[in-house]
């Protein structure tokens, strides 16, 4: 029997996409999609490009019988209390917010402020599937990574795991869906077309998340991270410059990548630079690595920021949590 | 000595552009640029693509000494009271709103509701410069046309003046700047990119304005008008289909257009279809007319909707009102 | 056993998409994809956004054993001889070119020149599935309509079938994929971004095709047709103005549309204006009709020009020819 | 009396823009605009967005009497022989190609091949105006920098001049006008919209040019350089990561930048991240610098790649060569 899934916060970009993926999923049933701001509207009216002909309701924590798992697509800070309430009712949770990604409370406090469910802090499994697959099978609470960490960490993981990374500089670029639906002047078409710019240049919250994961893999390297907004909808590219602790040949590095990702269903190591159109509307991550003549590495990863960078990776994790095939509903 | 100009409502798209054009104008001085919502901000911070290094202030009707003329870029309905107050102080006014465009009060009431300064209703000169040049030289209050009427009426005027128009069907297309700065989901880059659609298909307020002007020229033809939103910033194209009361050859019609617009500094009759890039950031209107084999006419006009369709046409009119060269600051 | 399909001309936009749809189709097997210009390249390298990991070969008419049907995606004029050769070998053919769409040889000669297989002229079934479903089940040669006729005729068919159409004026808009892959300056990103324009204003080859089909349905109305190019990739919108032979109420017309398309799997009658994003990458056609106060009708249809306007409609027809479910591989 | 200027190669993007800037220039006269491929066409027909109503002719080196200076906008390699011929006739030359930018013949040979006028190799002044202003006043041959070096070197020059740069990593992004007019599939609108990607990841010819200039300023730092193509027309952003030889405070660095560029008419040091729309169609370079917590510097520069990155910087240099005000025709 299909598992019954709740998508909470389904009127935002990642929540709506999560609802669509669950709707199309052969082994899941979309039990409910909730939204405070757009309750009463049909999801396929709110997003004509999706095909989910159900109405949005207001989340009622007292009427969740028969829900097996929930995908929570709330803003950072707002997610934690709802996640806690869902967990209390025994519902498996895939959280798309940042609330459970960081493992150091001081770092969380510095970048996000007070936590909304401190008793659960640090208990989530980090949902970068390719790194935490085994833990995810047992997880009850998963913190799906941010889009920038997904691409950046996948770009660098084969080096990080070998303890090779010395210094890391990342120029990351993303489309306007990463800015969220709650639009302001910045993402007005008239402001964004023919434009591009770096932002949060004094520090972005995804930087400590990237450092946490590279360190966990074996390379506690300092990361400088600069995000840019591009005039496109969906897509995220991480261009990662790295110096290595010891000289390593291009061949050795490429072989490392080929071996590391050879069996991955969604991470593909290319033999040339990736592009965003090739991963759009997919759960794929396209990786390419090269070494320039003085030995510095440049590693690239391209994903769709609201798919592999959020909603479809959430479902990838949900598949594991529910004992389904990891790729179900995602190919 | 340069005339001192107030731009009221300078934080919106057309007001900000009007401030820029006045700022660059050799014979005008930008005395003040006002905005309620963005008071205190510098205009060139709000719009980095413009170059007006002055701060926005709140309009104070008691401190307008030395202002010769004002360009009012308020929303429809909100403009009329301010226009009236400015006129009471003897200030010449170019209004960019719809408040003084229509000449029939019932039509105004139907499409816009109650008027904010009924004592002035009908006293403005319609600011389609090429049609009302003589009256504009004497005008104290000018109602700058909407962007759609500017292009559509210029596309059809040579036929309308000859009483030739029988039936008119207009498909008009505009970029997102026509939607205004106060963005909502519709013009979020993620919603608008790779999209296009008709809107206000049950009736758009510019239709009665177009009919009013075609009738005034001599052709009281019924107009069907459908606007479309395109994924671009600035630009408006009117594709006008017309049947004629009497058969007229393509040569005769083209000669009519050539003669009518031959001396116009800003209206250019092309020998092929116009395109939006060619008129962007200019006060130009590019017109093309053809006649298909059964005698139906297709007339096209392309303008920049916030230039000739609003702000620069406002300055074109202001030039006339102030006794300046009509093209001053606009070439 | 799956039917074995050849896609001839798979390096162009519609051919490559046809190959992708066949590749994903549960009941079809992509036996070969051919291209003269790109032979030897893998299709998924040529189009990274597609997922067809096979190499392009040169078409060899002597080695077609085991091919059940072919989709021919050649340029107009070039298709006919290959279509004839395939038919001689008993292979069912879905032609995506214009070579077999018109039924009057003089009209063909006027718009396209000499025909490449005159013995087959007029023998194809016109592949607008919703109009010719029964004939398509028996067809051996199908002429898939142009993208503009698909949208325009579907927008007007319910009126045409009742003999109601009197005069028709169509403003149609399309993205750059309709221009084809063989790029020139016109569709360079730098030329097309922030641009839009009408083209072929003196007559477009899709106009006689639209007139042929409206007449066949019962309304031999004269059509004026103007296409426009928009700054987007995939999408086609037809805005059709029509006068009727007899006054008909909005309710009656809407009921006509609801009834006509109520059972269609791919044509959806909306209750508001369509948009292009909602049909992108689908075989759907979204239709909306309204009647303005003087009784003129405006009917809209939105499709994806390379899906329903070409390749997926080709597969829709192929499904019928092969006795498969019409929707197989297309939902 | 106005100086008479030849623009050779005026049918490409940078040549056409150079012709436009010369045409509008108060102290220059566009004596001729030449093009082999488009001879006979009017420039304003080829580029409707420009306003140069003259015909393109074929360059005739025997009929150059009365020409004071030339802007040569030929492809790399093709420029040198024409530059040599023009210099022989005593004509001042601003070359927009790469032929005279590098000062080391081996480096030139490695990246570009054989040189077309070896006798002139190394004799040009590098036309990054802000760095070589004095030499440019005396120059007879100027090599205008590439767009990437213009932005990247201006972003880093204040640090380079102090010998502070240790390691440099540059992620640079450019619009499709940088790809040139001779389009191929890559810059077809359908391929480029909603896309972005790194390219020439194994080494780009602008890297040695950047290293040459940083070394000349005092910092022979190794540079890793990765260019990216963005879905926009005009604009270039360089995001430069640098480690310093000695720790330097953010305040000290910002003061360095403020002082270095304080008097520059076209380089503006911002107090926040730059964006591409703000510099479009201008000769400006917007610079921003920050220092992250571990002392690494991130310096940004935004320019219009065909203006300050090519044609308008060419005219800026031409102004100096001709003894005109450096800003003439460029504000």
């Amino acid at each position: 029997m299909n598992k019954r899934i709740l998508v909470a916060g389904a009127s935002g970009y990642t929540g709506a996409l999560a609802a669509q993926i669950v709707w199309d999923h052969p082994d899941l049933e979309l039990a409910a999609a909730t939204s405070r701001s757009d309750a009463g509207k049909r999801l396929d009216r709110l997003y004509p490009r999706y095909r989910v002909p159900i109405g949005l309701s207001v989340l009622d924590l007292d009427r969740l019988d028969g829900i097996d798992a929930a995908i929570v697509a709330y803003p950072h800070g707002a997610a934690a209390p709802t996640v806690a309430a869902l967990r209390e009712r025994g519902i498996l949770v895939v959280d798309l917010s940042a609330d459970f990604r960081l493992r150091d409370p001081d770092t969380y406090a510095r970048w996000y402020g007070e936590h909304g469910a401190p008793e659960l802090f640090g208990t989530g499994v980090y949902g970068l599937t390719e790194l935490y697959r085994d833990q995810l099978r047992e997880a009850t609470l998963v913190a799906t990574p941010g889009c920038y960490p997904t691409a950046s960490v996948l770009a660098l993981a084969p080096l990080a795991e070998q303890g090779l990374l010395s210094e890391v500089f990342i120029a990351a670029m993303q489309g306007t869906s990463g800015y969220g639906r709650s639009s302001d002047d910045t993402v007005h078409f008239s402001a964004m077309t023919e434009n591009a710019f770096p932002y949060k240049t004094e520090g972005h919250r995804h930087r400590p998340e990237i450092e946490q994961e590279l360190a966990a893999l074996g390379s506690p390297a300092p990361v400088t991270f600069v995000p840019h907004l591009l005039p496109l909808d969906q897509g995220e590219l991480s261009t990662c410059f790295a110096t290595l602790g010891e000289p390593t040949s291009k061949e050795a590095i490429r072989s490392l990548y080929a071996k590391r990702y050879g069996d991955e269903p969604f991470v593909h190591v290319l033999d040339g630079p990736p592009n965003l159109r090739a991963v759009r509307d997919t759960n794929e991550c396209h990786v390419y690595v090269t070494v320039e003549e003085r030995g510095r590495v440049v590693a690239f990863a391209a994903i769709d920021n609201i798919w592999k960078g959020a909603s479809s990776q959430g479902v990838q994790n949900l598949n594991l949590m529910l004992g389904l095939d990891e790729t179900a509903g995602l190919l």
Side-chain angles (χ1 to χ4, degrees), chain A:
Chain A
M1 207 177 64
N2 281 356
K3 298 292 182 176
R4 288 171 52 79
I5 310 299
L6 161 75
V7 175
S11 63
Y13 284 168
T14 56
L17 174 59
Q20 174 70 63
I21 294 172
V22 170
W23 181 263
D24 287 339
H25 196 293
D27 308 314
L28 303 180
E29 180 189 338
L30 182 61
T34 69
S35 160
R36 187 181 309 274
S37 56
D38 290 288
K41 295 183 193 161
R42 258 177 59 166
L43 197 45
D44 57 356
R45 295 300 170 94
L46 206 57
Y47 290 94
R49 64 180 172 278
Y50 292 147
R51 295 288 185 276
V52 185
I54 69 168
L56 292 164
S57 55
V58 173
L59 178 62
D60 181 348
L61 290 168
D62 295 331
R63 298 181 56 185
L64 295 173
D65 285 353
I67 301 288
D68 296 293
I71 298 176
V72 178
Y74 282 4
H76 308 315
T82 296
V83 167
L86 292 165
R87 285 299 307 127
E88 275 173 26
R89 285 153 183 80
I91 295 171
L92 299 177
V93 175
V94 170
D95 182 30
L96 301 184
S97 85
D99 286 3
F100 299 96
R101 293 174 191 160
L102 295 173
R103 288 188 287 269
D104 177 57
D106 291 345
T107 305
Y108 185 90
R110 174 178 167 197
W111 292 94
Y112 295 95
E114 201 178 348
H115 196 270
E119 70 283 8
L120 287 181
F121 187 85
T123 68
V125 175
Y126 192 72
L128 193 42
T129 328
E130 287 73 15
L131 305 185
Y132 293 92
R133 189 169 277 124
D134 289 342
Q135 294 98 307
L136 287 163
R137 290 189 215 277
E138 312 299 324
T140 53
L141 168 56
V142 169
T144 306
C147 53
Y148 287 130
T150 294
S152 303
V153 175
L154 287 175
L156 295 169
L159 299 169
E161 289 171 345
Q162 304 299 319
L164 281 169
L165 292 177
S166 175
E167 293 196 292
V168 175
F169 304 83
I170 302 173
M173 302 156 217
Q174 195 179 80
T176 54
S177 60
Y179 202 87
R181 181 186 162 213
S182 55
S183 60
D184 63 22
D185 290 7
T186 307
V187 289
H188 193 300
F189 190 90
S190 287
M192 201 61 224
T193 183
E194 299 294 305
N195 207 354
F197 46 84
Y199 66 101
K200 298 226 172 133
T201 53
E202 311 313 297
H204 187 283
R205 308 193 282 201
H206 284 174
R207 197 253 288 162
E209 193 180 327
I210 296 168
E211 288 182 333
Q212 164 184 289
E213 294 307 314
L214 295 180
L217 291 171
S219 283
V223 172
T224 299
F225 175 80
V226 176
H228 300 72
L229 203 61
L230 301 190
L232 52 90
D233 178 7
Q234 293 164 231
E236 206 268 287
L237 178 72
S238 278
T239 292
C240 308
F241 302 98
T243 58
L244 304 187
E246 52 190 288
T248 314
S249 72
K250 190 188 289 194
E251 292 65 37
I253 286 174
R254 289 194 168 158
S255 142
L256 210 55
Y257 275 71
K259 201 166 151 195
R260 177 60 181 86
Y261 290 133
D263 294 330
E264 284 297 339
F266 295 113
V267 182
H268 302 317
V269 180
L270 308 186
D271 54 10
N275 73 74
L276 293 182
R277 277 291 280 284
V279 294
R280 185 161 178 157
D281 294 331
T282 78
N283 191 50
E284 295 181 14
C285 177
H286 287 189
V287 171
Y288 175 65
V289 65
T290 190
V291 183
E292 48 90 273
E293 48 199 73
R294 289 85 159 218
R296 294 153 164 192
V297 170
V298 193
F300 304 91
I303 59 170
D304 185 316
N305 56 300
I306 61 171
W307 281 72
K308 179 65 175 167
S311 308
S312 67
Q313 180 156 255
V315 173
Q316 187 182 2
N317 293 330
L318 193 57
N319 284 339
L320 291 172
M321 296 163 83
L322 295 170
L324 302 171
D325 185 293
E326 182 181 328
T327 66
L330 297 174
L331 287 180

